[in-house]
Amino acid sequence: DIRLPEENVSVYADESAVRRVVENLLVNTVKHATGYVEIHFERQQETADLTIVNDAKELVGSDINLLFDRFYTADRTRSSQASGLGLSIAKSLMNKMDGTLTAELEGEKLIMTCRWKLGDAGISLAT
């Protein structure tokens, strides 16, 4: 389920960094998600939020605190196929753009949220 706003949304961000963050999140989702995936990009009052929700039955609460650590792979069966760097790089890039990347576990659903400050200039994220 992909939901994007009808209008353009401008944020203060580095275009190549935004591309890398989104790519890393989507690659991570494709590699590790099972079942249904939701991707929402929404304009809030002062921010633009990209949220990715997917089933993550293999994760436990302690994994969430480590997801952004370099070389951490929660899925031990795939650890030889993944470097564990994608989410760490995404978090670092979001911090450098004065944005945030967070993860939370609600039941068996992983919710990853990127949040950028809105701006009149900068890059435009649109459908």
Side-chain angles (χ1 to χ4, degrees), residues 41-113:
F41 183 65
E42 302 171 296
R43 181 189 179 118
Q44 303 297 335
Q45 200 143 358
E46 297 182 7
T47 62
D49 298 352
L50 173 67
T51 305
I52 301 174
V53 181
N54 62 272
D55 291 335
K57 296 176 182 146
E58 73 283 352
L59 290 181
V60 295
S62 58
D63 290 325
I64 297 302
N65 298 328
L66 301 171
L67 279 180
F68 301 113
D69 287 358
R70 293 176 66 84
F71 306 113
Y72 180 74
T73 55
D75 186 350
R76 282 116 184 120
T77 64
R78 297 186 193 182
S79 60
S80 63
Q81 297 174 0
S83 67
L85 289 172
L87 293 181
S88 175
I89 290 168
K91 175 108 174 160
S92 175
L93 290 171
M94 287 301 295
N95 289 342
K96 287 179 181 177
M97 290 185 285
D98 201 22
T100 60
L101 172 56
T102 58
E104 59 185 297
L105 194 59
E106 284 187 9
E108 294 184 340
K109 295 209 179 289
L110 174 63
I111 303 167
M112 305 279 287
T113 304

